[in-house]
Each structure stands twice: as C-alpha cells, then as structure tokens.
C-alpha cells in the first residue's frame, strides 16, 4: 500500500538527484523477497527496520544537499 509508494517515491527522487546508493535499495528488495517466500515476520521486520533507517538517512542526505 501507501508505505511502499512513499518508499519508492523517495528512492526515485534520490536516484534522480544522484543521491542513492545501491544499499539504499537492496534492503527493500530483500524485504520483498522475504515477504514473498519464507515470510518469517521477525526477519522481515528486522530488514524493514533497517531499510526504514536507510531511507531516513537517504532523505536527510538528499534534503541537506538541496537546502
């Protein structure tokens, strides 16, 4: 739903501005793969938490570069 769209939107903006690193996107892909395959909730939650932290850092870096 909405969380995926927000994440993808922020990542797309960061990629367009040249601010994204491969690791910023890999965690979201790993999260999706876990959800689609084994769906171990604690593992998925851990990866989601790490990806949220990476997304926050990405957003802050991008904002700092713009302002």
């Amino acid at each position: 739903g909405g969380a995926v769209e927000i994440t993808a939107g922020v990542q797309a903006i960061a990629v367009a501005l040249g601010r994204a690193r491969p690791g910023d996107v890999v965690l979201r892909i790993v999260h999706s793969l876990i959800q689609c395959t084994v769906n171990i909730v604690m593992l998925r939650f851990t990866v989601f938490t790490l990806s949220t932290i990476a997304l926050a850092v990405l957003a802050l870096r991008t904002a700092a570069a713009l302002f």
Side-chain angles (χ1 to χ4, degrees), residues 19-60:
R19 302 294 302 169
R21 296 176 297 191
D24 297 329
V25 180
V26 169
L27 286 170
R28 292 300 304 157
I29 295 170
V30 169
H31 173 267
S32 295
L33 288 173
I34 291 169
Q35 185 174 6
C36 292
T37 57
V38 294
N39 202 22
I40 299 170
V41 175
M42 285 308 296
L43 177 60
R44 199 174 97 210
F45 177 73
T46 301
V47 174
F48 177 79
T49 301
L50 292 172
S51 70
T52 301
I53 292 167
L55 179 62
V57 170
L58 173 66
L60 290 172

